[in-house]
Amino acid sequence: MADSPEHPPASAHAAAPVPPAEDEYDGSRLILRDGTVASVRATTREDAAQIARFFRDLSPDARRNRFLGSGQPGRDIIDRLADSSDPRQAFTLIALRHVGEDVRVIAVASYFALTSGAAEASFAVNERFQGKGIGTLLLERLAAHAARAGFATFHASMLTGNAPMREVFRDSGFDIRASTRDGVVELELQLQPSVDGVAAAERRRRRATAESIRPLLMPGAVAVIGASRDPHRIGGRVVRALQAGGFAGRILPVNPHAPEIAGLQAYPSARDLPSGVDLAIVAVPAEAVLAAVDDCAAASVRSLVVITAGFAEIGPEGRARQNALTERVRAYGMRMIGPNCMGLLNMDPAVRLNASFSPVCPPAGGIAFSSQSGALGIAILRLAAARQIGLSAFVSVGNKADVSSNDLLEYWELDPQTRVILLYLESFGNPRRFARIARRVARTKPIVALKAGRSKAGSRAAGSHTAALAARDVAVDALFRQTGVIRVDTIDEMFDVAACLDAQPPPPGTRVGIVTNAGGPGILAVDACEASGLQVPELAAETQARLRAFLPPTASVGNPVDMIASAGPKDYRGAVETMLGATEIDSLIVVFTPIDEDTAAAVLSEIQAGVVSARERGIAAKPVLACLLSDSRDRGPVRAGRETIPTYAFPENAARALGRGAAYAAWQAQPAGIFRTFDDLDVERAREICRAAIARGDTWLDDQEVWDVLGAFGFPVAAHRLARTADEAAAFAEAIGFPVAAKLASTRVTHKTELGAVRLNLTTAEAVRRAFEDIVSRVTAAAGEGAVDGILIQPMVTGGIETLIGVTHDPTFGPLVAFGMGGINVEALGDVRFRVAPLTDRDADDLIRDVRGFPLLLGHRGRSGADLDALRDVLLRTSSLAAAVPEILELDLNPVMALAPGHGCRVVDARIAVAAEEARTSRARPRRTT
């Protein structure tokens, strides 16, 4: 396939990275420049009094800057700002924080429609909170809402001396045109931010997130709310864990009934704490948590870990309690981990923080771990300690009411102590945001994820081929593949992969050398390598000659190198040095089965010496893994100079870990994908068609509407005419030119072929008339009166390969784009793969290559292949359609005839299901009769 950056599709241009869509934001949170937070939401009519108070509290200069005059806004303006019920007319966002004893509006950002594509935008920020980036954050989010509502530009006016507003627009990243007259600057902002502007916004967001997490993981002082003298109670265990871990800062227990706990001065209330407390661990009953938060805020505590359970995990009552907790925490500007978590650890020797109830502290290292399961936490920490796997940090995120894995990814991206990131996930809070962050982080640090819930149960009833083929877990696999996240199946495998990636360089290729002293384990290693996508190549004659020079004649010097059971320490050292020097391999697995335990230590020592010798000769890029089939593995990590050699119990473990590492290295070595935009899209036309269908109560577009939507997005559709009578069909066929195809057009029937409602290679007008009448008769008998909307007449498209391209909407992940081998057997063959929209050009290429039928698209047994550039173009247009027209619930283009290279492709048949917002967030799907 041609490389897309050098061969862009017609009328497309690069636009990477794309700006966040409205649903990529955390809908209720802003993270400010200083690491504090504020709540944010759209206004309701009940907010009018709060908004009026906000403007009254502004200084005269601030009101002058906002309204170009010093007076108070009138009631009509306040009422308009409080009404966000129709985003196509007006929309307002407000940011809220605790000010004194009240939660107040601290910033307002709004737009009012001027035309269908342009809106007037304005904002104001309370002077106390200026300089924290609130205006810029609100403008970014306001623009995302406006773009979703169909606006392309913002217009704004400001006084020439309005420095805060000037700073917001300067930082916004939007292309701006400005003109000045009579002391007023008139601005026009294009709502598609520039590439540099999007990148700058991502950097600002990343720095702010990292700053907000710092008090949690690097506190100078930690308070324990609910500390206990009983070492078996949670509050008592946390205090003693902090002490036993050697925390470098102050520990401040809070207990109203004990002046001293574990030798530490205790405080009767969090309100009595001294200044400078960065983190409070909350371990009080659920009903007392809100009061504890108030007390912590009164003492200016910066962050919280709420260990207490009894929140969203117990049902609706707990969910309401958790929502109230989250609102309270954000109103105070704090960050929170939990509730319902086991706490966190930071193993940095300068911090030594065990703010959890775990008695286990693994060694310090370069692996960070975020776990959504508190129950697994202690088991994970025990396993890490037993394997001597060094952690930089461990965070049990619990219910993720505030801090999530997305936040931790951004923190660890900038953390110099962290080299590898591990995630145990049970759900995704914001998968679009995860995709954006993970795609960036994985370029520099590997992310290894275990996602619970691989079951294929739960596939829902569907009205299209695409939706029927999208099993429950397919979106997770697609998301991880696109973002470079390494997916594993067990905690054990997670640590196997992490140990490899943390201790060794990434494999520069897939060719593996194997050294062993036993044939059976060597064969197992070969099988496991090939099953893991690795190659075990025959060694070059020169390498074999070097091995024969010191190995016994009975040794096998192919690959694996079987040195036989009598192999001693020097044989292992020579084999390791020789294999690492061989240019035909990219990595090495050393398998050692002790025959004589008395010599095991000497063999390990010589393996280490062989690695050190190879590194001293400049062979630094090849990873080395060891499989020790004895209790030698329990003696601790194998060190080779400053290097750690990961050790595994069985060859399969080592091969799987190396295979995951090689796949990741190959992904990392690819150029980053580019999001492409097209100049010939009529987004508003497509949305109007879909909205009209929804308004009249339809779930499926009729055939003419389908072709109109595809035409608005520049799809290469086959010529077509919709006939209402047999005579019309014959006339259309003669105009188009024989041979033609006649197909049912119906919003009620999905599988046309099963009803005999498709006729091909019709060569005369009379044959077309007969086909028309017969299709109408068959369908009416099977599906009832009104099932036939007409008969579609198309020229025969010959010589191509049938493919399927489609979209289905996942309630969590949003639109998924599908590609596969098409035609009438698509569901039976199941050769369809998915990716999460939006797609980069690399995603599209990878999606095409991922299907089993890809060799057919390259050409097979003398048959011409397919125009892969044209297929990529259709996939990228499909991705654009899914992202820009959220009303589309399902889309099937089947078949898309992929013609010979250079001849493009043609969409021959299509169907589109539409739904309003509430339907897209449920698993209920529109049905069509068959």
Side-chain angles (χ1 to χ4, degrees):
M1 186 179 302
D3 207 21
S4 55
E6 288 76 30
H7 300 276
S11 69
H13 56 272
V18 294
E22 180 270 328
D23 55 1
E24 278 190 47
Y25 294 100
D26 183 331
S28 60
R29 181 188 72 191
L30 297 174
I31 302 179
L32 311 186
R33 192 176 294 161
D34 62 358
T36 63
V37 299
S39 294
V40 61
R41 61 174 173 80
T43 55
T44 66
R45 290 184 176 90
E46 288 72 29
D47 294 316
Q50 272 268 52
I51 295 171
R53 179 178 182 177
F54 165 78
F55 285 116
R56 284 198 306 271
D57 290 344
L58 290 180
S59 69
D61 283 345
R63 284 198 298 274
R64 184 180 301 109
N65 285 334
R66 169 60 177 83
F67 297 105
L68 308 186
S70 59
Q72 293 286 348
R75 182 69 190 183
D76 58 333
I77 295 178
I78 297 297
D79 288 342
R80 290 183 72 192
L81 289 170
D83 185 2
S84 297
S85 59
D86 184 359
R88 283 182 282 180
Q89 297 300 319
F91 190 80
T92 301
L93 290 170
I94 51 175
L96 303 105
R97 276 277 289 269
H98 249 283
V99 179
E101 296 299 318
D102 302 323
V103 177
R104 297 186 188 177
V105 174
I106 60 169
V108 175
S110 61
Y111 69 74
F112 299 113
L114 297 173
T115 68
S116 61
E120 181 182 13
S122 58
F123 59 88
V125 179
N126 182 287
E127 288 96 327
R128 175 178 169 182
F129 292 92
Q130 289 180 4
K132 300 179 184 294
I134 295 179
T136 302
L137 293 171
L138 287 177
L139 180 58
E140 290 173 0
R141 194 169 297 203
L142 191 71
H145 280 281
R148 190 176 183 88
F151 294 100
T153 60
F154 273 166
H155 293 263
S157 303
M158 70 175 184
L159 297 174
T160 54
N162 189 346
M165 192 169 182
R166 190 166 59 246
E167 179 185 355
V168 168
F169 286 122
R170 184 193 66 213
D171 292 342
S172 68
F174 298 104
D175 288 330
I176 300 174
R177 296 177 182 174
S179 61
T180 303
R181 183 177 178 181
D182 297 330
V184 176
V185 181
E186 299 291 344
L187 303 173
E188 180 181 310
L189 291 76
Q190 300 298 317
L191 297 188
Q192 177 74 24
S194 67
V195 171
D196 291 343
V198 173
E202 287 294 305
R203 288 193 296 270
R204 288 195 301 271
R205 193 172 293 115
R206 181 164 67 246
R207 287 194 298 266
T209 300
E211 184 63 29
S212 75
I213 299 296
R214 192 165 287 111
L216 287 157
L217 283 169
M218 300 190 71
V222 177
V224 182
I225 317 300
S228 174
R229 285 174 291 194
D230 184 348
H232 301 293
R233 296 177 68 88
I234 294 296
R237 292 173 66 179
V238 172
V239 171
R240 286 155 181 83
L242 285 163
Q243 291 177 313
F247 176 53
R250 292 179 296 162
I251 305 171
L252 301 99
V254 175
N255 185 315
H257 309 296
E260 172 272 329
I261 292 177
L264 301 168
Q265 177 188 349
Y267 298 83
S269 166
R271 292 178 182 267
D272 301 309
L273 289 168
S275 62
V277 177
D278 298 299
L279 171 63
I281 314 299
V282 180
V284 298
E287 60 272 14
V289 168
L290 285 179
V293 171
D294 291 336
D295 293 344
C296 288
S300 300
V301 174
R302 298 176 64 191
S303 62
L304 305 171
V305 171
V306 179
I307 290 177
T308 307
F311 290 87
E313 76 279 3
I314 67 170
E317 179 184 349
R319 169 69 64 183
R321 183 184 293 134
Q322 180 168 304
N323 290 341
L325 169 63
T326 306
E327 290 177 11
R328 187 80 57 92
V329 168
R330 289 181 178 170
Y332 285 126
M334 296 187 286
R335 299 304 312 267
M336 174 182 69
I337 287 175
N340 186 34
C341 70
M342 65 164 285
L344 56 83
L345 294 86
N346 184 353
M347 303 311 299
D348 184 342
V351 181
R352 302 193 306 277
L353 173 70
N354 182 0
S356 76
F357 53 81
S358 170
V360 180
C361 269
I367 299 171
F369 200 130
S370 167
S371 174
Q372 195 171 338
S373 169
L376 280 176
I378 293 178
I380 289 168
L381 293 173
R382 289 190 187 280
L383 183 61
R387 291 197 180 187
Q388 291 295 288
I389 292 176
L391 300 187
S392 60
F394 173 88
V395 179
S396 167
V397 294
N399 291 0
K400 301 190 300 183
D402 180 38
V403 172
S404 69
S405 297
N406 288 353
D407 298 307
L408 294 171
L409 279 174
E410 294 201 288
Y411 177 81
W412 285 326
E413 179 184 10
L414 300 177
D415 178 27
Q417 303 297 325
T418 297
R419 296 184 294 270
V420 180
I421 300 169
L422 309 185
L423 305 175
Y424 172 78
L425 302 169
E426 293 176 353
S427 64
F428 286 92
N430 191 332
R432 288 176 176 270
R433 185 73 191 143
F434 175 88
R436 182 179 292 269
I437 295 169
R439 196 190 294 267
R440 184 186 71 233
V441 175
R443 284 284 161 193
T444 56
K445 295 183 180 182
I447 303 169
V448 185
L450 173 58
K451 169 63 173 67
R454 271 191 177 272
S455 170
K456 294 183 184 292
S459 297
R460 61 267 188 194
S464 69
H465 296 295
T466 305
L469 290 160
R472 177 181 178 182
D473 198 49
V474 72
V476 178
D477 274 332
L479 181 68
F480 286 168
R481 179 156 182 165
Q482 287 171 259
T483 57
V485 173
I486 304 164
R487 187 171 193 180
V488 294
D489 297 319
T490 65
I491 293 289
D492 191 60
E493 185 187 0
M494 174 180 278
F495 278 125
D496 284 344
V497 174
C500 176
L501 294 171
D502 183 42
Q504 291 291 308
T510 60
R511 302 169 302 170
V512 182
I514 300 169
V515 172
T516 181
N517 66 340
I523 294 171
L524 289 175
V526 172
D527 291 344
C529 284
E530 293 184 350
S532 300
L534 302 170
Q535 306 172 59
V536 184
E538 186 74 16
L539 297 179
E542 182 181 2
T543 303
Q544 294 190 29
R546 289 176 178 169
L547 290 167
R548 287 195 183 97
F550 61 87
L551 292 177
T554 52
S556 171
V557 293
N559 194 12
V561 177
D562 184 358
M563 301 181 295
I564 68 173
S566 61
K570 297 300 181 184
D571 295 325
Y572 263 100
R573 174 171 181 166
V576 168
E577 290 180 333
T578 302
M579 293 291 279
L580 284 176
T583 58
E584 64 269 27
I585 71 163
D586 302 308
S587 55
L588 177 64
I589 297 176
V590 181
V591 183
F592 173 45
T593 306
I595 305 302
D596 180 0
E597 287 290 342
D598 293 337
T599 64
V603 169
L604 286 176
S605 178
E606 290 303 310
I607 291 173
Q608 294 164 320
V611 174
V612 171
S613 174
R615 301 306 193 210
E616 289 174 347
R617 300 201 317 270
I619 305 170
K622 297 181 181 181
V624 180
L625 283 67
C627 172
L628 307 181
L629 296 170
S630 76
D631 62 0
S632 302
R633 178 171 172 270
D634 300 327
R635 298 172 184 168
V638 175
R639 301 286 299 176
R642 298 181 179 179
E643 177 179 342
T644 297
I645 301 174
T647 59
Y648 300 90
F650 300 103
E652 297 91 333
N653 299 67
R656 276 197 301 267
L658 194 60
R660 303 285 194 193
Y664 167 70
W667 177 88
Q668 196 178 37
Q670 290 182 348
I674 294 174
F675 292 100
R676 295 192 176 277
T677 59
F678 296 86
D679 297 326
D680 56 349
L681 309 185
D682 190 345
V683 175
E684 191 54 35
R685 172 64 178 147
R687 294 196 71 178
E688 284 174 357
I689 293 168
C690 296
R691 288 169 180 159
I694 294 169
R696 66 174 183 261
D698 288 345
T699 55
W700 291 91
L701 302 186
D702 66 35
D703 277 60
Q704 188 57 55
E705 290 171 329
V706 169
W707 297 116
D708 288 346
V709 167
L710 297 181
F713 268 71
F715 283 86
V717 299
H720 57 276
R721 301 287 293 275
L722 186 65
R724 307 290 184 181
T725 67
D727 287 340
E728 273 189 353
F732 291 163
E734 289 180 332
I736 290 172
F738 295 104
V740 298
K743 303 177 183 178
L744 170 69
S746 173
T747 58
R748 288 169 50 183
V749 175
T750 299
H751 302 300
K752 304 170 186 177
T753 304
E754 293 175 7
L755 293 182
V758 177
R759 303 299 168 83
L760 305 177
N761 290 308
L762 304 175
T763 57
T764 66
E766 186 56 34
V768 172
R769 288 190 182 91
R770 287 197 303 270
F772 182 102
E773 292 167 353
D774 189 47
I775 291 172
V776 171
S777 175
R778 285 174 176 268
V779 174
T780 301
E785 294 291 336
V788 179
D789 299 331
I791 302 299
L792 195 70
I793 305 300
Q794 293 177 306
M796 290 296 300
V797 180
T798 59
I801 300 171
E802 290 187 332
T803 66
L804 173 144
I805 292 175
V807 172
T808 185
H809 195 281
D810 184 277
T812 300
F813 293 84
L816 308 180
V817 177
F819 175 79
M821 306 310 291
I824 62 173
N825 297 316
V826 59
E827 288 184 31
L829 297 175
D831 190 14
V832 176
R833 298 292 182 270
F834 292 82
R835 297 292 183 269
V836 179
L839 304 185
T840 67
D841 54 355
R842 295 290 176 186
D843 293 334
D845 287 349
D846 181 65
L847 181 52
I848 294 170
R849 289 189 177 95
D850 199 26
V851 298
R852 295 190 302 274
F854 179 64
L856 298 177
L857 301 177
L858 293 177
H860 184 66
R861 293 192 174 183
R863 294 190 61 181
S864 174
D867 191 330
L868 300 180
D869 289 338
L871 281 175
R872 181 201 302 120
D873 183 85
V874 175
L875 278 170
L876 294 176
R877 288 179 184 275
T878 302
S879 173
S880 296
L881 178 62
V885 186
E887 292 81 7
I888 291 178
L889 184 66
E890 294 179 15
L891 164 71
D892 261 2
L893 310 179
N894 181 35
V896 177
M897 300 299 295
L899 305 178
H903 290 77
C905 54
R906 298 289 183 274
V907 179
V908 175
D909 203 354
R911 62 175 70 94
I912 296 175
V914 293
E917 180 71 29
E918 56 273 14
R920 293 197 302 277
T921 57
S922 73
R923 287 191 176 272
R925 320 300 290 182
R927 299 303 306 273
R928 298 176 87 175
T929 61
T930 57

